[in-house]
Amino acid sequence: MPSIAGGGRLFAAHRGGIWWLRRRQHQPFSSLAGGGGRGGAPHLPVLIVGAGPVGLVLSFLLTKFGIKCAVIEKNVEFTRHPRAHFINNRTMEIFRKLDGLAGEIERSQPPVDLWRKFVYCTSLSGSVLGSVDHMKQEDFDKVISPISVAHFSQYKLVDLLLKKLEGIGFQTCFPGEIGNTTQDLGIESKILMGHECTFLQQTDEGILVGTSVNNGGRMVERKRKLHCGLLVGTDGARSTVRELAGIAMEGERDLQKLVSVHFLSRDLGRYLSTQRPGMLFFVFNPDAIGVLVAHDLEHGEFVLQIPFYPPQQMFEEFSAKVCEQIIVKLVGWEPADIQVLDIKPWAMHAEVAEKYVGCNNRVVLAGDAAHRFPPAGGFGMNTGVQDAHNLAWKLGLMLNGVASPSIMQTYESERRPVAIFNTELSVENFKAAMSIPATLGLDPTLANSVHQVINKSLGSIIPRNVQKAVLEGLFSIGRAQLSDYILNEKNPLGSLRLARLRSILDEGKSLQLQFPAEDLGFCYEEGALVAEDCGEKPQKGAKLRHSKRASREYIPSANTGARLPHMQIRALPASSEGVFSTLDLVSGDKLEFVLIIAPLKESYEIARATLKVADEFKLSAKVCVMWPQGSASAEVEESRSELAPWTNYVDVEEVPMASGSSWWEMCRISRKSVILVRPDEHIAWRMESDMMRDTDSEVRRAFSQILCLN
Ligand SMILES: Cc1cc2nc3c(=O)[nH]c(=O)nc-3n(C[C@H](O)[C@H](O)[C@H](O)COP(=O)(O)OP(=O)(O)OC[C@H]3O[C@@H](n4cnc5c(N)ncnc54)[C@H](O)[C@@H]3O)c2cc1C
């Protein structure tokens, strides 16, 4: 059991806080950037708890940015039970910069024609009630993003991340490969498997972390504690770090309980590939109901999700044999080669941590440790990976002494609202998914209510087996609504229900796969940025509009806090580099700000000031001069003379879009606008170059604000 040192009050009033105020220059973090280890000093700057996708992405980014870190993982092996499989646009954009990870995913995932649809049917071989194709031509034409969404099992992603980490010097160590003495604690760039975080204590210089180590299946407390400057809890939905730091979750728990069955059947894979390929199959018949996720039709790999209702239905009842029988009922014939690999229960919640940062900015939560949503819409892992991306550059600049430790608070003020929004969206998606069975006369909310009534009012009066019989009786009456007798065009009720179902699917009111407005269009309103002083502020109402599902369309925006819009550009003078995305202006390998300007006198002045001030702040910065299509090499010579003696700039020209809009028109800003982009490709500052008075001091003020130095 995890323990909280000092009876849970440890983090509330520690002298670390006073000590913190005394040292305004934030050496405690910055001195750790290259690793500590002297005397009582921390062994390393950052310790990450949990080697799920979020912890691994974070360790990769930090290592790229020169921050030493290590990961501890309680399991001895990485789980093969696939959970996430849908990778959204923004996450793929991040993966593009993780040493080509996105390309490897694209090459390894199943062909898109095998997963672009959701299919609604009475059995996998029975009537198709409807289907929805979730890919559009724009997705392939890369109009709003340089990369498309992907369908790739989480455990395969973890395998690729481990390979990438190995490529930058990380090592996966198993218990026994690391000793128990001080000398053995050279743990930078290691993933320590079988190490469970069980204890936290704040020290003057960081966090002392207690671990238990898996010793042949038995967890044994490690005598020597690990000491880190900063601890990141990426330890999943039941986060120990969150619990030890005393951070509560807010929201709704236990929306639904499900059994997840991981199985293989090449026969079924072959059949579906040729007859009705799809990613999700919603199957409704009188004998069984379930959602089948086709992780990989080519290899016949599936996960079946079955709702269950404890305590009347217990998880233990779902043996491999029972699951196999349910699979056969859903398939409609008996595949000869069903191989059930693993069966796991899980509960659906809609919760966000009350705070993301605790213990004087020394404990941070990311991924499922900070938020857990229904998987409808595939936002869980995607939001977590984007947390890591937001956190990494801030940690990098803070640990290098460039940004103040209070920049950690901007991680919370930027990412927590996104999680709250995505929670609401996921709940809404979950309800949209439930609208289909409800239309077919099988209302899952009714099933949940009946279940609650049985639990609350009959639970203590009637024996468990009778409760179970009552519940199953009611469910089978409900499922009878799905019989061929009712659900056919000749039956007036059936034909009405089928018509309603078709209109839900046609109007896009069923569960969707892509959410471009939310995936790419989210905008930070408060954080490591300079609030808008020109143009319109990001509208708070926009959130409401999204949640009312009015529009899924992504509208490019150059508002402060938005992700830099994507447009194809070409380097000038013409080079062999070919066409690339505006997102590629931002380096994935170093912490660099990018200023985008038009070739105008006033904008060049801001560019010079930005390069100078960035130098003063010991920040890396680059200028991008955006020329209209067809600008001759002779013209771009102007940048050289305007920006001399600086050489860290690039001239690029726009590649015309189908719409014919220029970069400035697409962003809906004037050519006099100047945009400062952060290392995570979000816009930190936007200004009109002709509105600047004292350019140097305004740029200085902007950087101070972004780095939280005020
Ligand atoms: C059925 C289903 C389908 C889903 N589909 C999608 C999808 O399509 N797209 C999507 O984006 N998301 C999806 N999700 C959500 C996604 O799986 C999670 O959001 C994702 O796994 C979160 O990653 P993480 O790294 O934060 O946590 P996890 O993957 O849970 O990893 C946490 C790690 O921490 C370790 N750990 C825990 N406690 C300790 C400790 N005390 N000490 C050391 N290590 C510890 C765990 O062993 C684990 O390895 C789905 C989820 C489910 C259940």
Side-chain angles (χ1 to χ4, degrees), residues 19-28 403-405 709-710:
W19 166 89
W20 185 247
L21 290 175
R22 274 193 274 126
R23 290 178 169 79
R24 299 291 303 270
Q25 293 304 308
H26 48 84
Q27 297 97 324
S404 146
L709 297 171
N710 296 336

Side-chain angles (χ1 to χ4, degrees), residues 411-479:
Y411 164 66
E412 178 175 308
S413 62
E414 291 181 1
R415 294 304 302 167
R416 196 169 169 273
V418 173
I420 291 172
F421 180 66
N422 287 350
T423 309
E424 286 165 13
L425 181 64
S426 303
V427 170
E428 199 184 308
N429 292 339
F430 177 56
K431 287 184 184 153
M434 293 300 116
S435 68
I436 299 292
T439 301
L440 298 177
L442 191 90
D443 193 342
T445 50
L446 196 65
N448 283 334
S449 316
V450 169
H451 181 233
Q452 272 172 20
V453 169
I454 292 180
N455 280 347
K456 282 193 188 136
S457 39
L458 305 178
S460 54
I461 311 168
I462 339 180
R464 181 76 48 85
N465 57 346
V466 179
Q467 290 174 37
K468 186 176 159 125
V470 169
L471 191 73
E472 282 176 0
L474 287 169
F475 286 175
S476 68
I477 293 170
R479 285 198 303 265

